[in-house]
Amino acid sequence: MSAATTRSRTPRTPRIPAPDRLCVEAVELARASAEEAAFPGVVGEHVSAVAEGDRVVTHFFECKEPGYRGWRWAVTVTRASRAKNVTLDETVLLPGDDALLAPEWVPWSERLRPGDMGPGDLLPTDAEDLRLEQGWSGEDAPPPNSVVSTEMAELVEAEDADVTDRTVVPVRGSITSVAEELGMRRARVLSRYGLHSAADRWDESFGAKTPMAQAAPASCVSCGFLVAIGGSLGQAFGVCANEFSPADGRLVSLSYGCGGHSEAAVMPAPPRPAPPVLDSMAADEFQLHPAAPAADTGSVPPADLRSEDLGHS
């Protein structure tokens, strides 16, 4: 390997340009440019001057604008090679190391918390919401996660074998097993009066007459977040499983409803954030020459004006 090849593969350290003396001394020029771009009295003391390149220096000034703590006015000046006149490049407002910055914009769907929904509010459900799946499609084979599928039955039996004593489990198909499945092996069960009083109490809290249900787009009977319950109460009630609903984990009437209905609406596209209050990126248009006087103002007509001597022969 030759010496030339070795030198060519050696990484080079980037050269740091030395600050140009004339550009560093142009503090007043930079301040005047910052004061012209900003409101009066918001440009503070000169902070520093940083070399950006050959004959290119950026001057930083404190910003006293309310709400912009830690920000700095940055004015970049430069000059041509062998020239003594320093010119302006750009003037911007930049954040410093301890600047007060706005937080990252978060979509409303990620800001929403349980309990934020009120009467009349709608919570659009995404078509690909992982908490929902397609209902019965009419096929004979149930989905793998169905409670009646073969895979789920084998999994349940395997788990029960580890935690259940088979000696106390009733024989499948016997009257005792059917009674246990229906919850009738207890010493006492709810009477008809107990069922009706409980239904009236639950319907008062989460029923069709509540303000939330009156403003809902649909009832719980058609909501995908409703978990059915067994027994006679299952004909009128179910359990809400929507974490954003005010009835999450509660027993709700099938005629109840809220804005979190699974089919209420389609998830809209996230809106764009509002534009900044202080626009420091756009350029303002200024008229360089005054407007020509009107013909009826009494001024000299254009035809009588003497043409200026431009120095041409």
Side-chain angles (χ1 to χ4, degrees), residues 69-85:
R69 178 183 61 82
W71 288 65
R72 302 175 300 175
W73 285 100
V75 181
T76 303
V77 296
T78 183
R79 69 180 182 90
S81 177
R82 299 182 181 180
K84 296 183 179 180
N85 295 330

Side-chain angles (χ1 to χ4, degrees), residues 112-118 121 212 243-248:
L112 190 64
R113 293 294 180 267
D116 292 345
M117 187 185 305
D121 295 338
M212 182 69 73
E243 60 178 326
F244 298 111
S245 172
D248 180 35

